[in-house]
C-alpha cells in the first residue's frame, strides 16, 4: 500500500473522529433526560469518593457484588428511606462507611435524580428486525 | 541501571502482573466469602487488581517498544534520559496510587478510581514517551512497517482518550448523568483500543522476528486490519452503553461499526488451516507458543464480542459476568499472552544466559496450566452471566435470588483464579529471577 494512501486513510479517519467527538459531546439524551440538581452533582462526587461503583452498577456498568442502583429510589417497595437504611448501616456484604449525614443526603439526591433518567436493567422491550431493541416502560 | 531501563520496564511489568493477579484472587474470594481479608476489603482490592494489571500491559508494551525500535532499525533512541525519567514518573505515580487505594482515598471514576490530581503525572509520563517515540521514529529512513503505525496510534490515542476520561469534571457534562456516561464510555472504549494497538503491534513485530520475515508488517492485509481496528477503536465503543438513553444514532453507529469485525472473524476462519500449519512449524520456540495461544484467544473473544454487540443479545448479557468474561479473555488471554511472549523474547535477547532444564519444564507446564485454568475461568464467567441475564431479564428474578443461583459457578471461578495465579507463577519465576539478577549485578 503506497504511503500516500495510508496517510490519507489515517487522516480522513482522524478528522471524522474529531467531528464525531464534537457531536457526541453535544448530543442530548433521548427526551432530554438525566439532568442532575446541584445537590445530586455533589452526590455523584460522594459516590466516587467511597468507590460505591466497585460493587454497584449504574445502568449495568460497574461492579457486580451489589445490585444495580439506577432505579433503587423509583422501584416499588424501595425508595429513599429504604436506600438510606442500607447506606447508614451497611450489611454483611456492604461496609458501613460511617458517612456523615450531609453526604448521605447528597447521595440520596443523586440516586433520586438518576432514578428518573431511565430504566436498568431493561426487562420489557420489543425486538426490531435488525436485531436492535425498543424499550417499553 | 540507567542503561538497562528497557529491562526495568519489563521487570516492573512482570511484578505488577503478579501483584495484579494476586489482588484479583483476593477480590474473587471476597466475592464468594465476603468476610475474607477484611483489612483490605473488596472496594480496595478491585481497583488494586485493575490498576496493577493495566500497569502490566503498559509497562510490558513500553519496555518492548523502547528496546525493539533501535535494535530493529539500527538507530539510536532519541533520549535515554527521557526514558529513565519516564520510568521514574511511572514508578512513583504507581506507588502513590497503590497507597491511595490502600488508604481508601478515591475520587475518580471507575477504573481510574484514584484522586483525579494523579492524572497529571500520568499524562506527563505519556508525553515523555510520545516525544521520545516520535523523535526516534522519524529518524527511520525506510517506510514504517504497520507496527510502527500501531504504536504511534496507541500513544496518540492514549493521550487523547485519557484526557477525555476526565471530561466528567466539565460543567456541561457533569450536569447530566446520561451525557456523562456516554462520554466516559467513549473514552474508555477507545482507551482499551489504544493499548490494544500497543499490544497487537508488539505481536506483529514478534511474528516478524520469529518467522524472520520482514514482509509481514508491510503487507496490505496487515494495514487493512490496522485501519479496521482503528475504525472500531474510534466508533465502536457505544456497544458498552446500548441500554443507556443516549441519542439513538450514537448506538446505531456502534452497532454497525462493531459488525465490521465480522471481517476479521471471517479472515481467521478462512486462514484456519494455513495458520495451524504455520503454528506447528515454530511451536518449539518458547515465545511463539504464547503467540499461538493468543491467536486461539483472539478467536474465542472476537466471537464473544461480536455476539455481545448485537443489541438483542446485549440486553441479556449487559451488566452480567459475561462482560467480565470478555474483559478477562482479552486482557489475560490476548494481551497477557502476547506480552509474555514479548517479555520472554526480550529477556532472552538481553541476557545471554540460558534457562536450566527444570526452569524450561516449569515454564512449559505453567503454559498449559495457565491456558486450561483460563478456559475454566472464562467459561464459568460466561455461565454465571447467562444464569444472571436470563434470571433477571427473562424470569424477572431479584438480585438476591440470582446471586444465590450463581454461587456454585462463582466458586469454580474463584478456584480457577487461584490455579491461574499459580500457573502464572510457574511461567514468571524463571524469567523474573534472570532479569532481577541481571539488573542488580554490576
Amino acid at each position: 500500500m503506497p504511503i500516500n494512501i495510508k496517510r490519507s486513510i489515517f487522516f480522513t479517519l482522524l478528522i471524522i473522529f474529531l467531528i464525531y467527538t464534537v457531536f457526541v459531546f453535544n448530543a442530548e439524551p433521548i427526551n432530554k433526560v438525566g439532568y442532575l440538581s446541584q445537590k445530586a452533582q455533589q452526590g455523584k462526587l460522594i459516590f466516587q469518593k467511597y468507590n460505591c461503583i466497585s460493587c454497584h452498577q449504574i445502568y449495568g456498568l460497574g461492579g457486580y457484588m451489589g445490585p444495580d442502583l439506577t432505579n433503587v429510589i423509583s422501584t416499588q417497595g424501595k425508595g429513599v428511606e429504604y436506600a438510606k437504611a442500607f447506606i447508614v448501616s451497611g450489611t454483611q456484604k456492604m461496609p458501613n462507611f460511617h458517612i456523615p449525614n450531609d453526604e448521605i443526603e447528597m447521595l440520596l439526591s443523586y440516586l433520586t435524580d438518576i432514578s428518573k433518567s431511565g430504566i436498568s436493567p431493561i426487562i420489557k422491550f420489543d425486538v426490531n428486525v435488525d436485531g436492535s431493541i425498543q424499550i417499553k416502560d | 541501571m540507567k542503561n538497562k531501563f528497557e529491562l526495568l520496564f519489563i521487570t516492573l511489568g512482570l511484578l505488577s502482573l503478579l501483584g495484579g493477579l494476586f489482588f484479583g484472587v483476593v477480590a474473587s474470594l471476597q466475592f464468594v466469602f465476603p468476610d475474607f481479608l477484611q483489612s483490605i476489603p473488596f472496594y480496595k482490592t478491585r481497583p488494586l487488581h485493575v490498576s496493577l494489571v493495566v500497569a502490566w500491559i503498559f509497562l510490558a508494551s513500553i519496555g518492548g517498544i523502547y528496546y525493539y525500535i533501535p535494535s530493529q532499525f539500527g538507530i539510536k533512541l532519541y533520549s535515554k534520559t527521557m526514558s529513565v525519567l519516564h520510568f521514574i514518573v511511572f514508578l512513583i505515580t504507581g506507588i502513590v496510587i497503590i497507597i491511595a487505594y490502600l488508604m481508601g482515598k478515591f475520587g475518580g471514576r471507575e477504573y481510574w478510581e484514584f484522586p483525579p490530581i494523579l492524572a497529571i503525572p500520568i499524562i506527563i509520563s505519556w508525553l515523555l514517551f510520545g516525544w521520545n517515540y516520535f523523535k526516534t521514529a522519524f529518524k527511520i529512513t525506510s517506510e514504517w512497517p504497520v507496527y510502527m503505525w500501531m504504536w504511534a496510534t496507541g500513544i496518540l490515542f492514549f493521550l487523547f482518550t485519557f484526557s477525555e476520561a476526565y471530561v466528567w469534571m466539565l460543567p456541561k457534562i457533569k450536569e447530566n448523568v446520561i451525557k456523562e456516561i456516554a462520554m466516559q464510555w467513549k473514552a474508555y472504549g477507545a482507551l482499551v483500543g489504544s493499548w490494544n494497538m500497543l499490544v497487537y503491534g508488539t505481536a506483529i513485530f514478534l511474528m516478524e522476528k520469529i518467522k524472520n520475515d520482514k514482509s509481514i508488517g508491510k503487507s496490505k492485509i496487515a494495514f487493512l486490519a490496522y485501519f479496521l481496528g482503528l475504525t472500531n477503536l474510534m466508533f465502536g465503543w457505544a456497544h458498552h452503553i446500548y441500554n443507556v438513553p443516549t441519542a439513538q444514532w450514537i448506538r446505531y453507529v456502534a452497532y454497525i461499526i462493531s459488525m465490521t469485525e465480522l471481517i476479521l472473524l471471517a479472515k481467521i476462519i478462512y486462514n484456519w488451516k494455513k495458520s495451524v500449519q504455520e503454528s506447528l512449524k515454530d511451536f518449539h520456540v518458547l515465545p511463539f507458543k504464547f503467540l499461538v495461544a493468543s491467536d486461539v484467544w483472539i478467536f474465542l473473544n472476537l466471537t464473544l464480542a461480536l455476539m455481545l454487540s448485537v443489541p438483542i443479545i446485549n440486553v441479556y448479557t449487559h451488566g452480567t459476568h459475561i462482560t467480565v468474561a470478555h474483559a478477562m479473555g482479552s486482557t489475560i488471554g490476548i494481551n497477557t499472552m502476547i506480552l509474555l511472549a514479548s517479555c520472554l523474547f526480550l529477556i532472552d535477547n538481553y541476557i545471554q544466559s540460558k534457562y536450566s532444564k527444570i526452569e524450561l519444564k516449569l515454564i512449559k507446564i505453567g503454559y498449559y496450566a495457565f491456558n486450561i485454568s483460563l478456559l475454566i475461568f472464562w467459561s464459568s464467567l460466561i455461565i454465571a452471566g447467562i444464569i444472571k441475564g436470563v434470571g433477571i431479564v427473562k424470569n424477572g428474578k431479584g438480585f438476591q435470588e440470582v446471586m444465590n443461583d450463581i454461587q456454585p459457578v462463582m466458586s469454580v471461578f474463584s478456584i480457577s483464579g487461584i490455579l491461574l495465579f499459580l500457573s502464572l507463577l510457574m511461567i514468571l519465576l524463571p524469567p523474573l529471577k534472570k532479569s532481577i539478577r541481571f539488573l542488580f549485578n554490576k
Side-chain angles (χ1 to χ4, degrees):
Chain A
M1 198 184 278
I3 182 78
N4 287 342
I5 298 195
K6 287 177 203 160
R7 279 198 194 125
S8 322
I9 300 178
F10 180 83
F11 284 106
T12 311
L13 281 173
L14 189 64
I15 291 167
I16 300 175
F17 173 72
L18 292 175
I19 297 172
Y20 162 84
T21 298
V22 175
F23 271 92
V24 175
F25 190 83
N26 288 308
E28 277 298 328
I30 291 180
N31 301 330
K32 300 209 168 185
V33 292
Y35 281 90
L36 302 178
S37 67
Q38 280 297 331
K39 195 169 166 192
Q41 290 180 31
Q42 290 171 318
K44 211 213 89 188
L45 296 181
I46 306 296
F47 199 76
Q48 286 176 201
K49 175 174 165 191
Y50 293 101
N51 203 13
C52 309
I53 202 76
S54 63
C55 295
H56 289 288
Q57 309 108 66
I58 307 288
Y59 281 104
L61 304 159
Y64 298 144
M65 173 98 90
D68 191 317
L69 294 181
T70 317
N71 298 122
V72 59
I73 303 296
S74 54
T75 303
Q76 251 193 352
K78 296 187 178 175
V80 174
E81 288 309 315
Y82 172 92
K84 190 170 177 177
F86 278 90
I87 300 171
V88 170
S89 324
T91 67
Q92 192 215 350
K93 287 188 185 169
M94 172 167 156
N96 177 355
F97 291 95
H98 303 285
I99 303 176
N101 261 329
D102 56 330
E103 289 189 350
I104 292 183
E105 291 306 318
M106 293 172 195
L107 275 171
L108 291 169
S109 171
Y110 171 58
L111 292 176
T112 304
D113 279 8
I114 59 172
S115 266
K116 296 178 203 150
S117 70
I119 303 162
S120 176
I122 294 169
I123 294 178
K124 293 183 191 156
F125 54 86
D126 288 325
V127 188
N128 302 331
V129 280
D130 60 1
S132 63
I133 60 163
Q134 205 76 47
I135 304 167
K136 294 201 286 194
D137 280 333
Chain B
M1 250 187 230
K2 187 184 162 191
N3 282 323
K4 302 174 185 166
F5 66 91
E6 306 99 332
L7 201 60
L8 278 175
F9 274 100
I10 297 288
T11 311
L12 188 65
L14 293 172
L15 292 172
S16 292
L17 175 61
L18 274 184
L21 280 212
F22 171 77
F23 283 113
V25 167
V26 175
S28 83
L29 285 169
Q30 287 170 329
F31 202 94
V32 185
F33 312 103
D35 292 330
F36 183 72
L37 199 70
Q38 276 307 300
S39 49
I40 316 180
F42 183 79
Y43 65 95
K44 295 181 181 174
T45 49
R46 184 182 189 252
L48 281 167
H49 163 63
V50 174
S51 295
L52 283 166
V53 175
V54 173
W56 143 249
I57 292 175
F58 286 138
L59 286 164
S61 314
I62 293 168
I65 293 171
Y66 274 139
Y67 182 66
Y68 296 141
I69 298 180
S71 64
Q72 178 74 350
F73 298 97
I75 49 177
K76 269 204 167 133
L77 192 69
Y78 170 69
S79 164
K80 269 190 191 174
T81 317
M82 223 171 195
S83 316
V84 176
L85 198 62
H86 178 186
F87 179 79
I88 294 170
V89 177
F90 199 117
L91 179 65
I92 294 176
T93 317
I95 293 172
V96 175
I97 289 176
I98 291 174
I99 294 173
Y101 286 163
L102 287 172
M103 290 172 56
K105 296 263 176 258
F106 305 105
R109 304 273 341 212
E110 191 188 11
Y111 305 128
W112 307 111
E113 289 96 336
F114 45 79
I117 186 88
L118 290 171
I120 294 172
I122 295 183
I123 294 269
I124 292 177
S125 76
W126 280 81
L127 285 173
L128 288 170
F129 181 38
W131 190 258
N132 214 350
Y133 178 87
F134 285 103
K135 278 286 188 183
T136 309
F138 286 132
K139 287 197 221 168
I140 298 173
T141 44
S142 55
E143 239 177 64
W144 282 13
V146 75
Y147 50 84
M148 291 298 297
W149 283 80
M150 294 170 90
W151 291 338
T153 308
I155 296 171
L156 288 179
F157 273 84
F158 179 86
L159 279 165
F160 185 88
T161 54
F162 186 72
S163 315
E164 203 177 35
Y166 284 86
V167 293
W168 58 268
M169 300 180 124
L170 303 180
K172 191 172 155 55
I173 298 297
K174 87 177 164 196
E175 67 184 14
N176 188 302
V177 66
I178 303 299
K179 286 187 192 174
E180 200 223 25
I181 293 177
M183 283 309 284
Q184 183 196 355
W185 283 89
K186 176 178 183 300
Y188 285 179
L191 215 140
V192 171
S194 78
W195 84 51
N196 279 334
M197 283 286 172
L198 300 179
V199 177
Y200 287 133
T202 305
I204 296 178
F205 173 83
L206 288 174
M207 203 59 105
E208 266 199 20
K209 290 304 263 186
I210 294 170
K211 295 264 173 202
N212 202 7
D213 175 359
K214 280 199 175 180
S215 69
I216 297 177
K218 296 220 163 104
S219 71
K220 199 166 170 183
I221 286 284
F223 273 93
L224 289 178
Y226 158 67
F227 286 124
L228 188 64
L230 183 58
T231 312
N232 271 278
L233 173 164
M234 290 170 162
F235 309 107
W237 55 273
H239 51 222
H240 293 288
I241 55 162
Y242 280 152
N243 67 332
V244 182
T246 53
Q248 190 70 269
W249 61 267
I250 294 183
R251 286 169 284 158
Y252 258 106
V253 169
Y255 182 20
I256 295 165
I257 295 290
S258 302
M259 289 303 118
T260 59
E261 295 216 324
L262 275 169
I263 301 171
L264 289 182
L265 193 64
K267 183 180 157 250
I268 295 175
I269 295 172
Y270 183 75
N271 287 338
W272 195 265
K273 216 168 151 191
K274 198 171 145 226
S275 323
V276 172
Q277 282 164 355
E278 286 284 304
S279 304
L280 288 177
K281 212 161 54 190
D282 292 301
F283 198 67
H284 60 277
V285 182
L286 193 55
F288 191 70
K289 274 194 174 44
F290 287 85
L291 288 184
V292 172
S294 78
D295 272 345
V296 177
W297 283 104
I298 287 177
F299 173 70
L300 292 175
N301 262 289
L302 189 58
T303 313
L304 184 64
L306 276 160
M307 289 170 63
L308 302 190
S309 301
V310 178
I312 177 59
I313 299 179
N314 186 276
V315 79
Y316 291 95
T317 61
H318 183 79
T320 74
H321 300 77
I322 295 186
T323 320
V324 190
H326 179 250
M328 297 295 121
S330 330
T331 46
I332 307 177
I334 305 173
N335 295 336
T336 296
M337 231 47 98
I338 292 173
L339 293 173
L340 282 176
S342 173
C343 291
L344 287 169
F345 181 84
L346 193 151
I347 291 175
D348 268 357
N349 273 271
Y350 219 101
I351 310 166
Q352 296 304 334
S353 72
K354 288 215 169 358
Y355 293 116
S356 70
K357 266 210 168 111
I358 299 174
E359 286 176 326
L360 276 177
K361 190 119 215 151
L362 200 65
I363 300 179
K364 275 183 200 159
I365 298 174
Y367 169 80
Y368 288 106
F370 191 62
N371 276 290
I372 294 169
S373 29
L374 181 57
L375 192 63
I376 302 173
F377 185 81
W378 188 76
S379 313
S380 54
L381 283 168
I382 294 183
I383 295 169
I386 294 175
I387 298 175
K388 186 177 176 192
V390 171
I392 289 183
V393 179
K394 190 145 185 275
N395 303 331
K397 288 189 182 180
F399 169 77
Q400 217 63 52
E401 212 180 332
V402 168
M403 289 302 268
N404 288 336
D405 291 349
I406 63 171
Q407 184 79 11
V409 192
M410 291 313 284
S411 306
V412 176
F413 157 79
S414 273
I415 294 167
S416 58
I418 296 173
L419 294 177
L420 199 61
F421 178 71
L422 294 177
S423 44
L424 183 77
L425 265 182
M426 294 168 75
I427 299 172
L428 285 194
L429 285 181
L432 257 179
K433 193 176 116 197
K434 199 162 147 178
S435 66
I436 290 178
R437 263 211 193 134
F438 185 79
L439 280 173
F440 286 97
N441 259 352
K442 290 172 269 169

